[in-house]
Amino acid sequence: QVQLVESGGGLVQAGGSLRLSCAASGSTASINAMGWYRQAPGKQRELVARISSVGMTNHAESVKGRFTISRDNAKNTVHLQMNSLKPEDTAVYYCNAATTSFLPGNYWGQGTQVTVSS
C-alpha cells in the first residue's frame, strides 16, 4: 500500500504562485507514474500533469507554460509549481500514484484546496 499526503494549497490572487507537494509513504518502491489531478465544483476530475519514473512529463494544455511537475525519487515526493494562476484554476488538487506507467493509479491523496481570487 502507498499513502499520499498533499500540502501547499491555499488562497492566492490571480497572477500569483503556489507550490503543491505530495509525500508518498509505504510501498514507495512500487510507484511508477505519478500525477496531479484537479476537480472544480460541478466538474469532472481532470489530469493536470503527469511524470514518469524517469522524469518525463506531460502537462494539460490549459496549464502549459504556467505549471511544472517535478519529482524527487530519493525523497518520494512530487511537486506542482503553479505560476500565473487564474480564477479558473480554482479546484481541489489531488496527487495520484500508479504502479504502472498508466494514470490514474490506485493511490490518491486526500486533496488540497487551491482558490484563486480575481
Side-chain angles (χ1 to χ4, degrees):
Q1 291 292 326
V2 172
Q3 294 78 43
L4 302 173
V5 177
E6 302 103 335
S7 60
L11 173 63
V12 65
Q13 288 188 333
S17 298
L18 283 173
R19 179 177 170 87
L20 304 183
S21 296
C22 173
S25 61
S27 302
T28 57
S30 67
I31 296 175
N32 190 319
M34 298 189 75
W36 287 94
Y37 286 75
R38 68 185 180 186
Q39 187 166 21
K43 294 188 176 182
Q44 289 190 332
R45 192 172 296 190
E46 63 174 353
L47 178 63
V48 176
R50 57 165 287 142
I51 186 165
S52 74
S53 59
V54 295
M56 294 182 64
T57 63
N58 296 95
H59 297 78
E61 286 296 326
S62 59
V63 306
K64 275 184 179 178
R66 301 187 298 122
F67 292 11
T68 303
I69 190 171
S70 62
R71 72 190 282 177
D72 184 334
N73 290 333
K75 296 182 178 179
N76 298 312
T77 56
V78 63
H79 304 282
L80 185 68
Q81 178 66 43
M82 305 186 295
N83 299 327
S84 302
L85 282 160
K86 304 175 181 180
E88 50 263 43
D89 295 318
T90 296
V92 178
Y93 284 70
Y94 298 91
C95 180
N96 180 257
T99 58
T100 70
S101 59
F102 300 100
L103 291 181
N106 290 332
Y107 305 108
W108 292 93
Q110 80 285 358
T112 186
Q113 177 71 46
V114 171
T115 303
V116 184
S117 64
S118 57

